[in-house]
Amino acid sequence: MLVYHYTSLDAFTHIVDATGIHLWATLFSKLNDPREVALLRDVRLPKLARKYNKTKQEMMEIYENFPYILSLCEKPDIPYMWEKYADNGNGVVLAFDKETLESIAAQNFEGDVDDDFFLQIRYCKPGEEDAAYDALSKIICCYNDEAMSDFQSFAFVKGEEYKVEQEWRYARIRQNIMSFEPLEEGNCKFHFDEDDRNVQHRQRGGEDIPYLTIDFPTNALRQVHYLAKNFPHNEVNIIQDTLDKNPIGYKDVEVIPNNTIINI
């Protein structure tokens, strides 16, 4: 099975090089749709705050800094995705082997610092969010304890209105650095400070957007799609020239004309 990443042609030439594939994972709280964070803040966090006897603000402090999200998709022929994420049809779609990404996530999860997950998004109607979170927590609980699984499930639930995206997510969940502040009468307050190793920043609409680079090996990439009606011959050559930077690593990658019709 393949999963797909929609992007611009210019981004593709920087994503793929002789050493592998290098994709940006954006901090969860800075994703394009702020309603994802609102769903977490307004629906799930108050219930978990009661469950774990914490304030909602403490719950946000634990969670909001550390999930970095790379979005992929089930299909290469969704007009909405071509228009929104692939430069109005002038970009490309990268096809990755799903099993390879699952294997990479599993290997990285066993490390000492970051937890990588590769899971399908659960889409839900208003009022169904808890069931979606709970179902994901049970999957993730195979890897972690209950509390951490409750936190990590946040990155994989969206509203039903986004179902057209048919999204999978590769999430790098950064383990925050825990510290504590002594208080009176022997009590203490815990802080979960951001671990900013390898975090980079870009600008989007005047806002600072933190991101991490997720690296995949060359054999993860299986196909590159372009819209046949939109691409002149010289731009198809750009795709092939980029792949030829590593003629051994990318020798089996197919460059495929895609006949999806978009409205632009």
Side-chain angles (χ1 to χ4, degrees), residues 178-226:
M178 186 174 70
S179 60
F180 67 91
E181 172 189 351
L183 301 175
E184 295 180 358
E185 300 178 355
N187 295 321
C188 64
K189 179 180 180 181
F190 288 94
H191 298 274
F192 297 85
D193 301 317
E194 183 178 1
D195 180 350
D196 60 2
R197 291 172 303 104
N198 302 318
V199 174
Q200 301 175 76
H201 299 264
R202 67 181 189 273
Q203 292 294 308
R204 184 181 67 206
E207 185 179 14
D208 184 67
I209 308 296
Y211 70 93
L212 289 173
T213 299
I214 305 292
D215 299 317
F216 296 142
T218 58
N219 67 350
L221 182 64
R222 300 301 172 85
Q223 299 170 351
V224 179
H225 292 244
Y226 64 92

Side-chain angles (χ1 to χ4, degrees), residues 152-183:
Q152 292 170 334
S153 68
F154 293 161
F156 301 100
V157 175
K158 297 183 75 169
E160 187 183 43
E161 64 270 27
Y162 293 98
K163 198 170 184 178
V164 65
E165 296 180 352
Q166 301 184 44
E167 187 178 0
W168 283 72
R169 281 185 172 174
Y170 192 103
R172 176 153 294 168
I173 299 183
R174 173 61 56 84
Q175 302 274 352
N176 280 16
I177 302 170
M178 186 174 70
S179 60
F180 67 91
E181 172 189 351
L183 301 175

Side-chain angles (χ1 to χ4, degrees), residues 30-196:
K30 298 295 185 179
L31 293 176
N32 288 331
D33 178 23
R35 283 175 291 182
E36 285 195 58
V37 179
L39 184 66
L40 160 66
R41 181 189 63 237
D42 300 334
V43 175
R44 187 64 168 177
L45 279 185
K47 295 180 180 180
L48 291 185
R50 293 191 294 270
K51 179 177 179 179
Y52 295 109
N53 195 29
K54 293 182 179 293
T55 67
K56 192 169 92 169
Q57 183 57 41
E58 286 175 324
M59 298 295 288
M60 284 299 292
E61 185 178 2
I62 291 171
Y63 190 75
E64 69 179 356
N65 286 328
F66 63 88
Y68 289 82
I69 304 299
L70 167 62
S71 294
L72 300 111
C73 181
E74 286 189 11
K75 294 182 179 179
D77 56 0
I78 302 174
Y80 168 84
M81 298 295 287
W82 276 104
E83 293 168 16
K84 185 170 183 179
Y85 297 107
D87 193 19
N88 286 320
N90 297 303
V92 296
V93 175
L94 311 184
F96 295 101
D97 180 65
K98 178 174 172 287
E99 290 185 2
T100 299
L101 300 196
E102 289 173 334
S103 176
I104 294 167
Q107 291 172 18
N108 289 343
F109 181 85
E110 294 174 359
D112 296 330
V113 180
D114 300 324
D115 292 342
D116 284 12
F117 290 96
F118 179 52
L119 295 171
Q120 189 173 21
I121 287 290
R122 265 57 170 183
Y123 298 100
C124 54
K125 298 177 182 178
E128 296 179 351
E129 296 91 353
D130 277 326
Y133 285 127
D134 289 341
L136 281 161
S137 292
K138 289 177 182 177
I139 294 172
I140 296 173
C141 205
C142 297
Y143 307 93
N144 256 329
D145 60 38
E146 181 182 5
M148 187 57 71
S149 299
D150 279 337
F151 299 144
Q152 292 170 334
S153 68
F154 293 161
F156 301 100
V157 175
K158 297 183 75 169
E160 187 183 43
E161 64 270 27
Y162 293 98
K163 198 170 184 178
V164 65
E165 296 180 352
Q166 301 184 44
E167 187 178 0
W168 283 72
R169 281 185 172 174
Y170 192 103
R172 176 153 294 168
I173 299 183
R174 173 61 56 84
Q175 302 274 352
N176 280 16
I177 302 170
M178 186 174 70
S179 60
F180 67 91
E181 172 189 351
L183 301 175
E184 295 180 358
E185 300 178 355
N187 295 321
C188 64
K189 179 180 180 181
F190 288 94
H191 298 274
F192 297 85
D193 301 317
E194 183 178 1
D195 180 350
D196 60 2

Side-chain angles (χ1 to χ4, degrees), residues 232-256:
H233 181 72
N234 65 310
E235 293 190 354
V236 177
N237 288 341
I238 292 174
I239 297 175
Q240 194 60 59
D241 290 345
T242 302
L243 295 173
D244 287 344
K245 292 177 181 178
N246 188 333
I248 297 176
Y250 300 120
K251 65 182 177 65
D252 295 323
V253 174
E254 298 179 88
V255 178
I256 299 176

